[in-house]
Amino acid sequence: MMKCWQILGIEPTHDLDQITHAYENKIALLSKTDNSGDIELIGQAYNQAIELAQQDAMMKRELAIENEPDKEQAEENTSSIVARFIALLNKPDERNEIANWQHLTHASELNDPTVRHKVNDAILPTLLEIEVGESSEQAHSRLPQPILALIANRFNWLQRRSDMYQIFNPAQLDVLFVHTFGNKAAVFEESEKASSSAWLWRIVKLVVIWFIVIRLMMFGFDYVVGNDRETTHVDATPPSPLLVCNKITKPDESDEFAQCKTFAEEGHLAAQMRLAWLYSQSDAEDSWQKTFDWAVKASNRNQEAALLTGILLYKLGDSENDIENGKARINAMMEKGFKPADAYLASLYLTNDIADLETMTVKEALTSSHRVDPDIVPFDLLVSMYASGITVKADRKKAVNVMEQLANRYFPQGTNAVAWFLATLENNTLTGPEFALELAQRVIDHPQYENSYAYIDTAAAAMAAAGQFEKAIETQQKANAILAQQVAQDASLNWMLEEFESRLSLYQNQQAYTEYQILTSKQALGEAVSENIEELLLETLQFAVR
């Protein structure tokens, strides 16, 4: 993998601008030639260099966090600043005074880029609610442009524009940026000032993509990668015959299965991954062996498959050598920075399958994995860890903080998930019922989600948990009616309508609906973490062909 630096002609670095500049220079030298092979080679080197740099930067950031003298206090300070921002946004009489914002945006804690990004992502949903409304009342409540510009400058909106568009609703961000910078064209003009090479970079990417597409059309390759490429890949635009793999639900003697198997044997990664998943769903005696065999074929190009091979060896191996080999594979993926491997090792420690983690604690493994991707370690498992004091000191405040961060950062999905968890939590001693109700209400009050049957269903559960059964019945009936219209068009949703109707019956009998429990033992938490990761890995294999 280190050949990438030689190809780009620079020393190893984590400076992304330097890597991009070197790449653009190399491409510029080849722009007058028709050498697609060299351009592809440089493109591969560029991607590898960027990945190495990002991994190095992430490791340094995590090391800095681990070595921070009072990390817990820093997290509390972050939450405090977020609360101050939200409080000011919700005070119409004070939020139009620029002096208030100058004082708040110059808080010393915001000098830390990580804290600054977290605060920005936490307050933006509330800010978007204020700025995107079309009613006269909402328009009157919008912040003055100088205040928006002050916030945009402090939180580096222009520099983080791409990241923000991946996290938040693009249409809503367009409106916010117009309110802040005057018009959408001005946004792009200012963004170009912040990154003078942006347009050149777009053109270069188009050139590279063009040559890759031509090569794919000529040779039918799924991937144009070096033998040492170690990151996750799936077929971005698989040839249409490969889509036959999606028609198969289990290994059989059908022509479709035979075609998919042929693609896999020819080296198509997505077909190999799909076959691994198909065999994992089979009841045949040798199904897991075949799952392992196909996962091994995909493992040199796919991280999920590589981790799955380690897990299968560890859990289903016939010998001590298999088990040790499986553990070694999981450790190898951890050393490569693949966070699901970190969390999986933590789960093995929790279930007493391994004696120690050697390089990290359970808390570090689970929390850092959740930060990278909440799907790896769902928030409710972190809540159980803190609430029950599993390998950490019991701390209800931290458990609630995990939920608040997810609800504020990932609107509306994260907000709804936390509301549903609390509304359906058996014997909820973490928060009062009003917290779940407030979160659920925040979602359905948004014009874009006011008629979403899933979000309305959550609101009904929150009302029932709060003892407001009349409102719960009325709200659930609304959700059922909207879903029934969908079922009329798609009968596959009928199972969901049955669940909605069963909840309605509970509310009519003055009973709340419960689904979650706080886990109270290391064994239970470890099993939940490992099962979630195993399902996540198999899901990746299932949907490899897109």
Side-chain angles (χ1 to χ4, degrees), residues 136-153:
S136 58
E137 180 180 350
Q138 288 171 311
H140 180 71
S141 69
R142 292 170 186 159
L143 293 176
Q145 189 275 335
I147 292 177
L148 287 174
L150 176 69
I151 297 173
N153 180 64

Side-chain angles (χ1 to χ4, degrees), residues 417-434:
V418 174
W420 177 257
F421 171 73
L422 290 173
T424 64
L425 179 61
E426 186 176 320
N427 298 323
N428 178 11
T429 59
L430 297 174
T431 67
E434 66 280 353

Side-chain angles (χ1 to χ4, degrees), residues 45 85 120 128 163 211 259 309 408-409 416 518 541:
F85 267 93
N120 179 71
L128 287 170
D163 292 339
F211 278 109
Q259 292 177 44
T309 62
N408 290 331
R409 183 171 185 180
N416 180 74
I518 294 294
L541 301 184

Side-chain angles (χ1 to χ4, degrees), residues 422-470:
L422 290 173
T424 64
L425 179 61
E426 186 176 320
N427 298 323
N428 178 11
T429 59
L430 297 174
T431 67
E434 66 280 353
F435 184 53
L437 187 55
E438 186 274 327
L439 292 176
Q441 197 69 47
R442 187 194 306 176
V443 175
I444 63 173
D445 281 348
H446 194 287
Q448 187 173 346
Y449 310 114
E450 60 185 358
N451 291 315
S452 168
Y453 57 80
Y455 296 152
I456 298 172
D457 178 54
T458 299
M463 293 169 184
Q468 301 176 14
F469 289 107
E470 290 186 7

Side-chain angles (χ1 to χ4, degrees), residues 74-76 78-79 82 118 121-122 370-371 382 398-411 414-415 418 435:
E75 290 179 351
E76 292 180 5
T78 300
S79 299
V82 170
K118 288 181 178 180
D121 293 348
H370 175 80
R371 283 198 302 269
L382 291 185
K398 287 184 178 179
V400 173
N401 187 46
V402 168
M403 294 185 285
E404 288 177 337
Q405 288 183 355
L406 187 78
N408 290 331
R409 183 171 185 180
Y410 298 100
F411 180 88
T415 315
V418 174
F435 184 53

Side-chain angles (χ1 to χ4, degrees), residues 67 86 211 481 497:
N67 293 332
I86 300 298
F211 278 109
L497 182 58

